[in-house]
Amino acid sequence: MIILGAGRRGLGLAKQLVADGKDVVIIDSSHERIEKAVSKLDCLGVLGNGTNIGTLLEAGVDQAEAFVAVTDSDEINLVSSGLVSSSYPQTKTVAAIRSLVYTGLDGLKEGLLGIDHIVNPNTETAKAIYNIIEQGVNGNVLGFNNSSLLLYNFHVESFSSYVGSSIREMRSKLGADFIIASINRRGLVVVPSGNTTIQANDILSIVAESEEVTDILKTVGKLQKRPNNMVLVGGSNVTRALLNRMSPSMRSRVTVVDQNPDVCETFSERFREILVIKADITDEDIMAEEQLGSYDLLVALTDNDELNIITASYAKRIGVSRSMALIKQNNNYTRMASYLEIDVVFSTTDTTVESLLRYLRGTNVSSIHTLFNGQLEIFEFIINAASEVCNKQLKDINMRKKAIIAGITHADGTSSIPTGPTTLVEGDTVLVAVLRNSSELIQKLFG
């Protein structure tokens, strides 16, 4: 695998691919960034320009499985990927493109310059934010692209009635249909069995239908409803992409705040249903004057990480029920969220890397979630006729106790929690929780 660009996205992607056992070469024009990448990761570095054929050959592009361009320049990503596509058609080409000039308002133009796959970081981030809003702005709930099943990370308090119970007993007590895909116990993640005993402070990753997850949340008093009205701070490209995903009725409950008059005019004309307020969110009177504290949700989406964190934190203090913040530059801020009462922090880098991995890991991988500092991955596979597990019962699939099939969505759209006799058939969408060091094995089984 060749990655052009040793910035945040490049390093994030390289880290995941190296963990997958891939041979990775990073190209960058900065000697400092190359040195940093090689010192941190088990990869090779090539100093040079990705639009230079000599540099590409030095990196081994003629033998590479894939070429991924993730520099901060759309033009370099387009030219380098197009050059590789035309000269070495056997190499997959992937490019990260932010500008709507190239992708258009209505979506990404696959096949542009012969490039196999184009990822728009703003679009991917907006999609992730929209899904979280739909799920009630609970940062512990994850959704999937082709399944109605949800994954909820459930913290077991020391006084919980589940402490000391086996997983089998917990299922019986709750009377709900779900699977515990993993347990994070003091930082170590394990794939449990029905006899595994639950301990205080365990973090349980539960997969269930949305209705079942709602019942589980009710038992611990953490049920969150979808926000009725919301304010988006900052008329950024992510804000535009998020509004594009919303229905007109949903947009009618949205207020956008931005201090730039041209931006305000553009948003007012493009999205007739929304209320646009021209104001500086740092003005100490704006929150009170516009009664922003009465909103169910505030999402800080400016291009300034620090402003987003401060705004989202302050919103909670003045009465906004829930808040979210966008991080574009410094992923270290995501660790601060829980101390600042922010409900969800989104990283453009993380969402882009997940999208890139989803494509690179195979056409039948429709989504991936990485949890617990990379120890656990949740794959969403679409079973095809060539898969090793097609037409097999779960009890006959040897995953070496490193993974668990947590849910199935059938071709007719219905979902179920599988048992040993369940047979996987072509067209099924399967959720598989796997320990990171065994992800290659699982990809071979289900790919």
Side-chain angles (χ1 to χ4, degrees), residues 50-334:
T51 60
N52 184 303
I53 193 67
T55 301
L56 295 174
L57 286 172
E58 183 183 351
V61 69
D62 53 331
Q63 303 294 324
E65 178 183 347
F67 175 86
V68 187
V70 289
T71 74
D72 290 332
S73 168
D74 287 352
E75 288 71 23
I76 289 177
N77 294 343
L78 281 171
V79 172
S80 60
S81 299
L83 178 61
V84 172
S85 176
S86 61
S87 303
Y88 307 99
Q90 77 283 0
T91 301
K92 285 182 183 178
T93 49
V94 185
I97 307 296
R98 292 177 296 276
S99 175
L100 295 178
V101 171
Y102 304 113
T103 61
L105 283 171
D106 299 323
L108 306 178
K109 297 178 180 178
E110 303 296 336
L112 180 66
L113 297 180
I115 301 169
D116 294 305
H117 187 62
I118 293 174
V119 172
N120 186 318
N122 297 325
T123 301
E124 294 299 326
T125 304
K127 184 193 302 182
I129 294 172
Y130 177 83
N131 289 338
I132 284 292
I133 292 173
E134 284 291 281
Q135 293 156 14
V137 196
N138 189 323
N140 287 323
V141 178
L142 299 175
F144 301 90
N145 287 342
N146 297 310
S147 175
S148 60
L149 296 166
L150 297 175
L151 181 140
Y152 174 63
N153 290 317
F154 173 88
H155 180 262
V156 181
E157 301 287 357
S158 58
F159 53 79
S160 170
S161 61
Y162 305 130
V163 173
S165 301
S166 68
I167 288 177
R168 187 174 290 107
E169 291 168 341
M170 180 183 179
R171 286 168 59 93
S172 178
K173 286 181 182 179
L174 279 171
D177 196 15
F178 64 89
I179 277 184
I180 296 181
S182 72
I183 296 179
N184 182 348
R185 181 167 293 162
R186 294 181 292 277
L188 179 64
V189 178
V190 297
V191 175
S193 67
N195 295 323
T196 301
T197 300
I198 296 168
Q199 297 181 11
N201 297 314
D202 280 351
I203 299 176
L204 313 180
S205 294
I206 296 175
V207 174
E209 282 275 13
S210 57
E211 293 80 6
E212 299 286 359
V213 170
T214 297
D215 291 339
I216 294 169
L217 289 174
K218 284 179 180 176
T219 67
V220 292
K222 294 182 179 179
L223 180 62
Q224 298 271 37
K225 295 181 179 180
R226 293 176 185 173
N228 184 50
N229 54 7
M230 66 191 85
V231 55
L232 309 181
V233 178
S236 64
N237 289 329
V238 174
T239 307
R240 182 196 297 266
L242 177 59
L243 289 169
N244 278 330
R245 297 193 71 83
M246 294 180 179
S247 65
S249 62
M250 188 174 183
R251 286 198 293 263
S252 68
R253 296 179 275 114
V254 172
T255 297
V256 173
V257 178
D258 196 282
Q259 62 180 328
N260 187 314
D262 294 333
V263 169
C264 291
E265 183 178 356
T266 298
F267 272 77
S268 295
E269 293 176 353
R270 176 71 178 84
F271 305 104
R272 297 289 184 178
E273 306 88 355
I274 69 174
L275 171 65
V276 179
I277 298 174
K278 177 189 171 298
D280 182 354
I281 198 64
T282 62
D283 185 332
E284 60 181 353
D285 297 323
I286 187 63
M287 291 281 191
E289 289 177 359
E290 300 298 340
Q291 297 182 322
L292 298 186
S294 65
Y295 282 77
D296 294 331
L297 171 66
L298 180 144
V299 189
L301 297 172
T302 75
D303 292 324
N304 185 314
D305 290 354
E306 291 79 7
L307 178 57
N308 291 341
I309 289 290
I310 293 170
T311 302
S313 178
Y314 183 67
K316 294 296 290 289
R317 297 178 186 275
I318 65 167
V320 177
S321 302
R322 285 159 281 175
S323 69
M324 302 165 64
L326 172 67
I327 299 300
K328 301 186 74 173
Q329 305 295 330
N330 191 342
N331 267 17
N332 290 328
Y333 287 140
T334 59

